[in-house]
Amino acid sequence: MSVGRPTVLLEHHLKALKLPTILREYAPVAAVCAQERTDYPTYLERLAERELIDRERRAAERRIKAARFPVIKTLDTFDFAAQPSINEPLVRQLVSGEYLDRRENVLLVGNSGTGKTHLATALAFAACAQGRRVRFWTVTGLVTHLLEAREERQLERALKHLQRHELVVLDELGYVPFSKAGAELLFEVVSRAYERTSLIVTTNLPFEAWPEVCGSERLTGAILDRLTHRVHILEANPSYAVRASKPPWRQRHGRLEAEVVTTF
Ligand code: ADP
Ligand code: MG
């Protein structure tokens, strides 16, 4: 193709319109289309399609970066045979992302090293690919961030920012006990997410041990009440009898039991 005035102008327009894929591809696609004797609309359609595909890929990359995963993990590398306690059909159903439309939560319970963070990341990664805004936090990281924001009188802003996500991962609940202020901030996060944002929480603690970490029975009850209102529970460790155990909060809030959407 000759490099004349039209080409220079065309390239200028494509840059101004922010169509980098068409800019890169218009000449080679034109050569192919000329050879195939395709009509102009077909040529244009092929270029538009390439731009659209690239644009979606770039947006997904931006969302993955913004999610701040510590390490990227996907379902492809998760060995279900090595972790038979995990409900594979439920994971496969969750990865489609419909729970996010219904603002449901996911709770991953199990000992250390059983793949909870891997699965939480894989579900959140899939959500990014589906065009959702996602943020990954360790629970302690988030609570520290919010405590700092409060000191700088930016708490409301930080909470609003969190609320703009469709999915927030809260990793590693239970490894570090909270201060009273920290537990109250966690309650604030769970409370604001309630029926607005989906949460994926990973924890090594069975429910009955939560009050110890959260500092009070009352606050734990309030957090669990909202978190488990509509929840999918994945258990990565058979020794944790989540289903069999009857922690006090479940007996007190009888309706919770009925509203667990799926369990292992
Ligand atoms: P947890 O969060 O439960 O402590 P992780 O998800 O961090 O455990 O798992 C520890 C490491 O082992 C990670 O590198 C993770 O990718 C890997 N891992 C754990 N379970 C599996 C599994 N079933 N298949 C593949 N990798 C796994
Ligand atoms: Mg982990």
Side-chain angles (χ1 to χ4, degrees):
M1 189 176 286
S2 68
V3 184
R5 190 169 171 281
T7 309
V8 172
L9 261 184
L10 171 64
E11 295 194 351
H12 171 269
H13 294 339
L14 290 173
K15 275 182 201 154
L17 288 166
K18 296 195 170 36
L19 298 167
T21 306
I22 296 186
L23 177 64
R24 195 182 61 235
E25 304 271 326
Y26 78 89
V29 176
V32 172
C33 285
Q35 216 172 29
E36 290 175 3
R37 295 175 188 277
T38 46
D39 54 17
Y40 294 133
T42 305
Y43 170 58
L44 192 56
E45 183 271 323
R46 283 188 189 174
L47 285 178
E49 188 186 27
R50 285 176 191 219
E51 186 69 55
L52 203 60
I53 290 169
D54 270 5
R55 187 172 287 189
E56 278 163 11
R57 185 183 43 76
R58 286 193 301 271
E61 280 168 6
R62 270 199 304 279
R63 282 189 297 269
I64 289 160
K65 208 165 159 217
R68 311 246 196 122
F69 297 116
V71 184
I72 291 182
K73 300 273 177 178
T74 60
L75 266 201
D76 305 346
T77 58
F78 192 82
D79 181 0
F80 283 95
Q83 189 55 268
S85 63
I86 283 288
N87 180 344
E88 182 177 350
L90 175 56
V91 175
R92 302 245 174 246
Q93 177 204 316
L94 290 173
V95 89
S96 73
E98 282 156 32
Y99 70 104
L100 296 163
D101 295 324
R102 297 190 296 263
R103 312 284 189 264
E104 292 163 358
N105 299 325
V106 178
L107 189 59
L108 282 144
V109 192
N111 276 341
S112 183
T114 52
K116 301 184 299 297
T117 302
H118 187 137
L119 284 173
T121 308
L123 290 177
F125 183 86
C128 286
Q130 289 154 10
R132 321 238 188 203
R133 283 171 63 99
V134 173
R135 184 67 162 88
F136 183 105
W137 280 101
T138 61
V139 178
T140 348
L142 177 60
V143 168
T144 309
H145 168 72
L146 293 177
L147 285 168
E148 282 169 8
R150 193 169 64 177
E151 262 175 39
E152 291 158 16
R153 299 187 175 279
Q154 299 286 328
L155 179 59
E156 192 52 40
R157 210 178 128 171
L159 287 167
K160 285 248 161 67
H161 182 259
L162 202 63
Q163 268 178 275
R164 287 212 296 270
H165 296 88
E166 284 173 88
L167 171 63
V168 176
V169 178
L170 300 176
D171 196 29
E172 297 188 350
L173 180 95
Y175 283 95
V176 187
F178 300 110
S179 61
K180 186 165 180 290
E184 278 165 7
L185 283 174
L186 179 66
F187 168 71
E188 192 64 32
V189 169
V190 173
S191 192
R192 287 189 186 217
Y194 182 63
E195 295 191 337
R196 287 193 207 119
T197 306
S198 289
L199 297 174
I200 297 183
V201 179
T202 81
T203 182
N204 59 332
L205 297 178
F207 293 130
E208 52 268 36
W210 285 39
E212 221 172 287
V213 168
C214 297
S216 90
E217 280 267 353
R218 187 192 53 81
L219 205 53
T220 307
I223 289 172
L224 278 173
D225 194 21
R226 284 154 184 80
L227 191 63
T228 60
H229 180 229
R230 290 188 68 76
V231 72
H232 303 270
I233 298 174
L234 283 164
E235 210 206 344
N237 188 336
S239 72
Y240 278 112
V242 176
R243 186 167 50 176
S245 75
K246 287 267 178 196
W249 63 270
R250 276 203 184 179
Q251 286 160 13
R252 277 202 313 273
H253 309 278
R255 70 187 175 85
L256 290 182
E257 190 106 83
E259 284 165 356
V260 169
V261 186
T262 39
T263 186
F264 57 97

